[in-house]
């Protein structure tokens, strides 16, 4: 779709719209989530990867760890009987439980 055809502006759409770059239908939009103010939505914190790299703007590691990595790991580890608390170390303070 063209950027103006989106009724709901997802992360990639917001990054493209805020970039000032003209995108065409079918273009790939590479973006990262950067740190922002607490009241900003994730979509508002999306930024084109190339713009972030050129301007030395860091991605938000907390977002990626808490919203991407941990949920993926939990899907695997819960099948093996481990909870989120086990994985994050809030239940088991050593790695012995994984051996």
């Amino acid at each position: 779709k063209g950027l103006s055809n989106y009724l709901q502006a997802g992360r990639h759409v917001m990054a493209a719209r805020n970039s000032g770059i003209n995108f065409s239908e079918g273009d790939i939009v590479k973006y990262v989530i950067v740190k922002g103010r607490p009241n900003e939505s994730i979509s508002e914190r999306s930024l084109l990867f190339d713009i972030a790299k050129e301007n030395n703007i860091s991605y938000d590691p907390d977002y990626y760890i808490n919203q991407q990595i941990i949920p993926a790991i939990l899907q695997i580890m819960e099948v093996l009987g481990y909870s989120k608390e086990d994985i994050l170390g809030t239940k088991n303070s050593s790695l012995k439980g994984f051996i």
Side-chain angles (χ1 to χ4, degrees):
K1 293 182 183 181
L3 291 177
S4 61
N5 294 334
Y6 282 89
L7 298 176
Q8 296 266 346
R11 297 168 192 153
H12 66 297
V13 174
M14 290 294 288
R17 284 181 181 167
N18 293 335
S19 71
I21 297 171
N22 290 325
F23 282 88
S24 299
E25 185 176 333
D27 285 349
I28 295 173
V29 178
K30 296 189 307 182
Y31 69 94
V32 293
I33 303 301
V34 298
K35 292 183 179 183
R37 293 181 295 276
N39 59 343
E40 287 182 308
S41 70
I42 297 299
S43 293
E44 291 173 320
R45 294 173 33 211
S46 63
L47 185 64
L48 290 184
F49 174 79
D50 291 335
I51 291 174
K53 187 175 179 180
E54 288 170 12
N55 293 289
N56 202 27
I57 300 171
S58 298
Y59 69 97
D60 183 353
D62 292 330
Y63 166 78
Y64 286 99
I65 291 168
N66 295 318
Q67 303 300 320
Q68 303 290 319
I69 296 171
I70 290 174
I73 291 170
L74 279 174
Q75 287 183 348
I76 297 166
M77 297 306 285
E78 284 177 338
V79 172
L80 301 173
Y82 296 98
S83 68
K84 183 175 183 178
E85 292 77 22
D86 292 324
I87 304 303
L88 296 177
T90 56
K91 182 176 180 181
N92 187 350
S93 60
S94 73
L95 293 177
K96 280 185 161 181
F98 293 102
I99 299 174

